[in-house]
Amino acid sequence: MLKNIHVPEDVVNTIVASVEADQNGAEERRREQLAGLKQRLAALRTRMDRMYEDKLDGRIDGEFWSRKMAEWRTQERALESAAQGLSVPVSLDRALSATRILELANRAHFLYLTRNSAEREQLLKSVLLSCATDRVNLWLNYRKPFDLSCSPLTRLAHAR
């Protein structure tokens, strides 16, 4: 049941490269968005400082100043919150997970043959969603992404 799980090396390399490129692009977009937010926040704070000076110089009344400052403080908090959300770099976990899954797919049969019964059980639990038998046939339902059949729900294999 594990012999048929295999992903050609060129496909593995293409998938891993695609996931890594996607993550690199996501990190670049995150940095650009964060820089844009910081720039907007700096512009807003400059505007708030100028307005405070205008209030001190008597160019605007207190009611207008209070209303605008409350509005801008709300914007400031929203920008700070958005910047905080973008402060953590994009993790490389997706690329590592894809690589590990594909390596497991390619080595599943070998690993099964070389492990003890507890490790075999863990491997089968990682690969199989469920299985059933009628004492003649064995029906296997592989977990994604190990299900390489045309039908996404089940895969049939005969018992040996």
Side-chain angles (χ1 to χ4, degrees), residues 1 128-142 154-159:
M1 76 184 90
L128 297 175
L129 188 59
S130 64
C131 59
T133 185
D134 64 3
R135 295 185 185 198
V136 175
N137 296 309
L138 176 65
W139 289 270
L140 303 172
N141 190 2
Y142 289 84
T154 59
R155 193 171 182 171
L156 177 64
H158 293 284

PDB file of all heavy atoms in Angstrom, residues 1 128-142 154-159:
ATOM      1  N   MET A   1       0.800  -1.209   0.000  1.00  0.00           N
ATOM      2  CA  MET A   1       0.000   0.000   0.000  1.00  0.00           C
ATOM      3  C   MET A   1       0.840   1.269   0.000  1.00  0.00           C
ATOM      4  O   MET A   1       0.363   2.323  -0.365  1.00  0.00           O
ATOM      5  CB  MET A   1      -0.976  -0.017   1.168  1.00  0.00           C
ATOM      6  CG  MET A   1      -0.355   0.272   2.532  1.00  0.00           C
ATOM      7  SD  MET A   1      -1.509   0.136   3.878  1.00  0.00           S
ATOM      8  CE  MET A   1      -1.301  -1.565   4.281  1.00  0.00           C
ATOM      9  N   LEU A 128      -2.501   7.203   6.017  1.00  0.00           N
ATOM     10  CA  LEU A 128      -3.865   6.725   5.771  1.00  0.00           C
ATOM     11  C   LEU A 128      -4.881   7.453   6.631  1.00  0.00           C
ATOM     12  O   LEU A 128      -4.683   7.657   7.820  1.00  0.00           O
ATOM     13  CB  LEU A 128      -3.955   5.226   6.065  1.00  0.00           C
ATOM     14  CG  LEU A 128      -3.094   4.313   5.193  1.00  0.00           C
ATOM     15  CD1 LEU A 128      -3.191   2.882   5.696  1.00  0.00           C
ATOM     16  CD2 LEU A 128      -3.519   4.409   3.740  1.00  0.00           C
ATOM     17  N   LEU A 129      -5.989   7.803   6.010  1.00  0.00           N
ATOM     18  CA  LEU A 129      -7.105   8.387   6.732  1.00  0.00           C
ATOM     19  C   LEU A 129      -7.933   7.271   7.354  1.00  0.00           C
ATOM     20  O   LEU A 129      -8.339   7.341   8.509  1.00  0.00           O
ATOM     21  CB  LEU A 129      -7.953   9.232   5.778  1.00  0.00           C
ATOM     22  CG  LEU A 129      -9.054  10.073   6.363  1.00  0.00           C
ATOM     23  CD1 LEU A 129      -8.475  11.059   7.371  1.00  0.00           C
ATOM     24  CD2 LEU A 129      -9.781  10.824   5.263  1.00  0.00           C
ATOM     25  N   SER A 130      -8.179   6.217   6.560  1.00  0.00           N
ATOM     26  CA  SER A 130      -8.914   5.055   7.051  1.00  0.00           C
ATOM     27  C   SER A 130      -8.668   3.891   6.105  1.00  0.00           C
ATOM     28  O   SER A 130      -8.164   4.062   4.999  1.00  0.00           O
ATOM     29  CB  SER A 130     -10.413   5.349   7.132  1.00  0.00           C
ATOM     30  OG  SER A 130     -10.934   5.598   5.834  1.00  0.00           O
ATOM     31  N   CYS A 131      -9.034   2.699   6.568  1.00  0.00           N
ATOM     32  CA  CYS A 131      -8.971   1.527   5.705  1.00  0.00           C
ATOM     33  C   CYS A 131     -10.055   0.557   6.156  1.00  0.00           C
ATOM     34  O   CYS A 131     -10.521   0.599   7.291  1.00  0.00           O
ATOM     35  CB  CYS A 131      -7.593   0.887   5.730  1.00  0.00           C
ATOM     36  SG  CYS A 131      -7.029   0.354   7.341  1.00  0.00           S
ATOM     37  N   ALA A 132     -10.458  -0.293   5.216  1.00  0.00           N
ATOM     38  CA  ALA A 132     -11.495  -1.280   5.502  1.00  0.00           C
ATOM     39  C   ALA A 132     -11.187  -2.542   4.701  1.00  0.00           C
ATOM     40  O   ALA A 132     -10.509  -2.493   3.679  1.00  0.00           O
ATOM     41  CB  ALA A 132     -12.867  -0.727   5.125  1.00  0.00           C
ATOM     42  N   THR A 133     -11.702  -3.662   5.187  1.00  0.00           N
ATOM     43  CA  THR A 133     -11.489  -4.931   4.495  1.00  0.00           C
ATOM     44  C   THR A 133     -12.756  -5.766   4.564  1.00  0.00           C
ATOM     45  O   THR A 133     -13.571  -5.622   5.478  1.00  0.00           O
ATOM     46  CB  THR A 133     -10.299  -5.708   5.095  1.00  0.00           C
ATOM     47  OG1 THR A 133     -10.087  -6.870   4.310  1.00  0.00           O
ATOM     48  CG2 THR A 133     -10.528  -6.066   6.538  1.00  0.00           C
ATOM     49  N   ASP A 134     -12.921  -6.637   3.565  1.00  0.00           N
ATOM     50  CA  ASP A 134     -14.000  -7.624   3.588  1.00  0.00           C
ATOM     51  C   ASP A 134     -13.407  -9.034   3.581  1.00  0.00           C
ATOM     52  O   ASP A 134     -14.017  -9.970   3.134  1.00  0.00           O
ATOM     53  CB  ASP A 134     -14.960  -7.416   2.413  1.00  0.00           C
ATOM     54  CG  ASP A 134     -14.301  -7.624   1.067  1.00  0.00           C
ATOM     55  OD1 ASP A 134     -13.100  -7.981   1.025  1.00  0.00           O
ATOM     56  OD2 ASP A 134     -14.982  -7.437   0.044  1.00  0.00           O
ATOM     57  N   ARG A 135     -12.167  -9.144   4.069  1.00  0.00           N
ATOM     58  CA  ARG A 135     -11.368 -10.364   4.160  1.00  0.00           C
ATOM     59  C   ARG A 135     -10.781 -10.800   2.815  1.00  0.00           C
ATOM     60  O   ARG A 135     -10.017 -11.725   2.763  1.00  0.00           O
ATOM     61  CB  ARG A 135     -12.153 -11.510   4.785  1.00  0.00           C
ATOM     62  CG  ARG A 135     -12.518 -11.245   6.222  1.00  0.00           C
ATOM     63  CD  ARG A 135     -13.172 -12.442   6.819  1.00  0.00           C
ATOM     64  NE  ARG A 135     -13.606 -12.116   8.159  1.00  0.00           N
ATOM     65  CZ  ARG A 135     -13.902 -13.012   9.055  1.00  0.00           C
ATOM     66  NH1 ARG A 135     -13.817 -14.280   8.769  1.00  0.00           N
ATOM     67  NH2 ARG A 135     -14.293 -12.649  10.249  1.00  0.00           N
ATOM     68  N   VAL A 136     -11.152 -10.120   1.751  1.00  0.00           N
ATOM     69  CA  VAL A 136     -10.589 -10.409   0.439  1.00  0.00           C
ATOM     70  C   VAL A 136      -9.906  -9.160  -0.105  1.00  0.00           C
ATOM     71  O   VAL A 136      -8.794  -9.218  -0.602  1.00  0.00           O
ATOM     72  CB  VAL A 136     -11.676 -10.883  -0.551  1.00  0.00           C
ATOM     73  CG1 VAL A 136     -11.108 -11.059  -1.945  1.00  0.00           C
ATOM     74  CG2 VAL A 136     -12.326 -12.166  -0.054  1.00  0.00           C
ATOM     75  N   ASN A 137     -10.602  -8.043   0.027  1.00  0.00           N
ATOM     76  CA  ASN A 137     -10.103  -6.773  -0.492  1.00  0.00           C
ATOM     77  C   ASN A 137      -9.793  -5.811   0.648  1.00  0.00           C
ATOM     78  O   ASN A 137     -10.402  -5.885   1.712  1.00  0.00           O
ATOM     79  CB  ASN A 137     -11.136  -6.119  -1.406  1.00  0.00           C
ATOM     80  CG  ASN A 137     -11.402  -6.947  -2.636  1.00  0.00           C
ATOM     81  OD1 ASN A 137     -10.479  -7.352  -3.329  1.00  0.00           O
ATOM     82  ND2 ASN A 137     -12.673  -7.233  -2.901  1.00  0.00           N
ATOM     83  N   LEU A 138      -8.867  -4.917   0.361  1.00  0.00           N
ATOM     84  CA  LEU A 138      -8.502  -3.875   1.320  1.00  0.00           C
ATOM     85  C   LEU A 138      -8.759  -2.531   0.654  1.00  0.00           C
ATOM     86  O   LEU A 138      -8.248  -2.259  -0.421  1.00  0.00           O
ATOM     87  CB  LEU A 138      -7.018  -3.996   1.706  1.00  0.00           C
ATOM     88  CG  LEU A 138      -6.449  -2.926   2.630  1.00  0.00           C
ATOM     89  CD1 LEU A 138      -7.111  -3.004   4.003  1.00  0.00           C
ATOM     90  CD2 LEU A 138      -4.946  -3.097   2.757  1.00  0.00           C
ATOM     91  N   TRP A 139      -9.602  -1.715   1.274  1.00  0.00           N
ATOM     92  CA  TRP A 139      -9.894  -0.386   0.749  1.00  0.00           C
ATOM     93  C   TRP A 139      -9.155   0.642   1.603  1.00  0.00           C
ATOM     94  O   TRP A 139      -9.288   0.655   2.824  1.00  0.00           O
ATOM     95  CB  TRP A 139     -11.401  -0.094   0.793  1.00  0.00           C
ATOM     96  CG  TRP A 139     -12.160  -0.879  -0.208  1.00  0.00           C
ATOM     97  CD1 TRP A 139     -12.443  -0.514  -1.476  1.00  0.00           C
ATOM     98  CD2 TRP A 139     -12.753  -2.156  -0.011  1.00  0.00           C
ATOM     99  NE1 TRP A 139     -13.165  -1.494  -2.107  1.00  0.00           N
ATOM    100  CE2 TRP A 139     -13.373  -2.519  -1.226  1.00  0.00           C
ATOM    101  CE3 TRP A 139     -12.798  -3.066   1.044  1.00  0.00           C
ATOM    102  CZ2 TRP A 139     -14.044  -3.722  -1.397  1.00  0.00           C
ATOM    103  CZ3 TRP A 139     -13.466  -4.260   0.877  1.00  0.00           C
ATOM    104  CH2 TRP A 139     -14.079  -4.579  -0.341  1.00  0.00           C
ATOM    105  N   LEU A 140      -8.379   1.449   0.919  1.00  0.00           N
ATOM    106  CA  LEU A 140      -7.561   2.437   1.611  1.00  0.00           C
ATOM    107  C   LEU A 140      -8.027   3.838   1.258  1.00  0.00           C
ATOM    108  O   LEU A 140      -8.254   4.142   0.090  1.00  0.00           O
ATOM    109  CB  LEU A 140      -6.084   2.287   1.220  1.00  0.00           C
ATOM    110  CG  LEU A 140      -5.479   0.910   1.462  1.00  0.00           C
ATOM    111  CD1 LEU A 140      -4.094   0.848   0.849  1.00  0.00           C
ATOM    112  CD2 LEU A 140      -5.444   0.601   2.939  1.00  0.00           C
ATOM    113  N   ASN A 141      -8.131   4.679   2.262  1.00  0.00           N
ATOM    114  CA  ASN A 141      -8.473   6.079   2.063  1.00  0.00           C
ATOM    115  C   ASN A 141      -7.258   6.873   2.541  1.00  0.00           C
ATOM    116  O   ASN A 141      -7.026   6.990   3.734  1.00  0.00           O
ATOM    117  CB  ASN A 141      -9.728   6.430   2.864  1.00  0.00           C
ATOM    118  CG  ASN A 141     -10.273   7.790   2.528  1.00  0.00           C
ATOM    119  OD1 ASN A 141      -9.737   8.472   1.671  1.00  0.00           O
ATOM    120  ND2 ASN A 141     -11.322   8.180   3.211  1.00  0.00           N
ATOM    121  N   TYR A 142      -6.469   7.371   1.574  1.00  0.00           N
ATOM    122  CA  TYR A 142      -5.237   8.079   1.899  1.00  0.00           C
ATOM    123  C   TYR A 142      -5.518   9.513   2.342  1.00  0.00           C
ATOM    124  O   TYR A 142      -6.454  10.141   1.860  1.00  0.00           O
ATOM    125  CB  TYR A 142      -4.306   8.132   0.680  1.00  0.00           C
ATOM    126  CG  TYR A 142      -3.689   6.806   0.338  1.00  0.00           C
ATOM    127  CD1 TYR A 142      -4.363   5.878  -0.434  1.00  0.00           C
ATOM    128  CD2 TYR A 142      -2.419   6.486   0.785  1.00  0.00           C
ATOM    129  CE1 TYR A 142      -3.788   4.660  -0.752  1.00  0.00           C
ATOM    130  CE2 TYR A 142      -1.834   5.274   0.468  1.00  0.00           C
ATOM    131  CZ  TYR A 142      -2.537   4.362  -0.302  1.00  0.00           C
ATOM    132  OH  TYR A 142      -1.962   3.163  -0.611  1.00  0.00           O
ATOM    133  N   THR A 154     -11.261   7.981  -2.372  1.00  0.00           N
ATOM    134  CA  THR A 154     -10.767   6.655  -2.001  1.00  0.00           C
ATOM    135  C   THR A 154      -9.786   6.115  -3.020  1.00  0.00           C
ATOM    136  O   THR A 154      -9.727   6.574  -4.152  1.00  0.00           O
ATOM    137  CB  THR A 154     -11.927   5.651  -1.880  1.00  0.00           C
ATOM    138  OG1 THR A 154     -12.582   5.594  -3.126  1.00  0.00           O
ATOM    139  CG2 THR A 154     -12.883   6.026  -0.770  1.00  0.00           C
ATOM    140  N   ARG A 155      -9.078   5.118  -2.592  1.00  0.00           N
ATOM    141  CA  ARG A 155      -8.123   4.428  -3.444  1.00  0.00           C
ATOM    142  C   ARG A 155      -8.210   2.942  -3.089  1.00  0.00           C
ATOM    143  O   ARG A 155      -8.189   2.591  -1.919  1.00  0.00           O
ATOM    144  CB  ARG A 155      -6.740   4.993  -3.140  1.00  0.00           C
ATOM    145  CG  ARG A 155      -5.715   4.621  -4.122  1.00  0.00           C
ATOM    146  CD  ARG A 155      -4.498   5.425  -3.813  1.00  0.00           C
ATOM    147  NE  ARG A 155      -3.514   5.100  -4.804  1.00  0.00           N
ATOM    148  CZ  ARG A 155      -2.403   5.744  -4.937  1.00  0.00           C
ATOM    149  NH1 ARG A 155      -2.122   6.740  -4.148  1.00  0.00           N
ATOM    150  NH2 ARG A 155      -1.560   5.387  -5.844  1.00  0.00           N
ATOM    151  N   LEU A 156      -8.324   2.109  -4.094  1.00  0.00           N
ATOM    152  CA  LEU A 156      -8.525   0.679  -3.852  1.00  0.00           C
ATOM    153  C   LEU A 156      -7.219  -0.067  -4.062  1.00  0.00           C
ATOM    154  O   LEU A 156      -6.531   0.128  -5.051  1.00  0.00           O
ATOM    155  CB  LEU A 156      -9.592   0.162  -4.815  1.00  0.00           C
ATOM    156  CG  LEU A 156      -9.885  -1.333  -4.763  1.00  0.00           C
ATOM    157  CD1 LEU A 156     -10.447  -1.704  -3.401  1.00  0.00           C
ATOM    158  CD2 LEU A 156     -10.850  -1.716  -5.854  1.00  0.00           C
ATOM    159  N   ALA A 157      -6.886  -0.914  -3.121  1.00  0.00           N
ATOM    160  CA  ALA A 157      -5.728  -1.787  -3.272  1.00  0.00           C
ATOM    161  C   ALA A 157      -6.128  -3.179  -2.806  1.00  0.00           C
ATOM    162  O   ALA A 157      -6.917  -3.313  -1.871  1.00  0.00           O
ATOM    163  CB  ALA A 157      -4.559  -1.270  -2.456  1.00  0.00           C
ATOM    164  N   HIS A 158      -5.630  -4.199  -3.440  1.00  0.00           N
ATOM    165  CA  HIS A 158      -5.958  -5.561  -3.028  1.00  0.00           C
ATOM    166  C   HIS A 158      -5.009  -6.028  -1.947  1.00  0.00           C
ATOM    167  O   HIS A 158      -3.828  -5.763  -1.997  1.00  0.00           O
ATOM    168  CB  HIS A 158      -5.875  -6.514  -4.230  1.00  0.00           C
ATOM    169  CG  HIS A 158      -6.936  -6.227  -5.258  1.00  0.00           C
ATOM    170  ND1 HIS A 158      -8.240  -6.596  -5.067  1.00  0.00           N
ATOM    171  CD2 HIS A 158      -6.880  -5.584  -6.435  1.00  0.00           C
ATOM    172  CE1 HIS A 158      -8.945  -6.207  -6.110  1.00  0.00           C
ATOM    173  NE2 HIS A 158      -8.133  -5.576  -6.964  1.00  0.00           N
ATOM    174  N   ALA A 159      -5.582  -6.776  -0.985  1.00  0.00           N
ATOM    175  CA  ALA A 159      -4.762  -7.328   0.104  1.00  0.00           C
ATOM    176  C   ALA A 159      -3.840  -8.397  -0.471  1.00  0.00           C
ATOM    177  O   ALA A 159      -4.164  -9.057  -1.439  1.00  0.00           O
ATOM    178  CB  ALA A 159      -5.675  -7.934   1.172  1.00  0.00           C
TER     179      ALA A 159
END
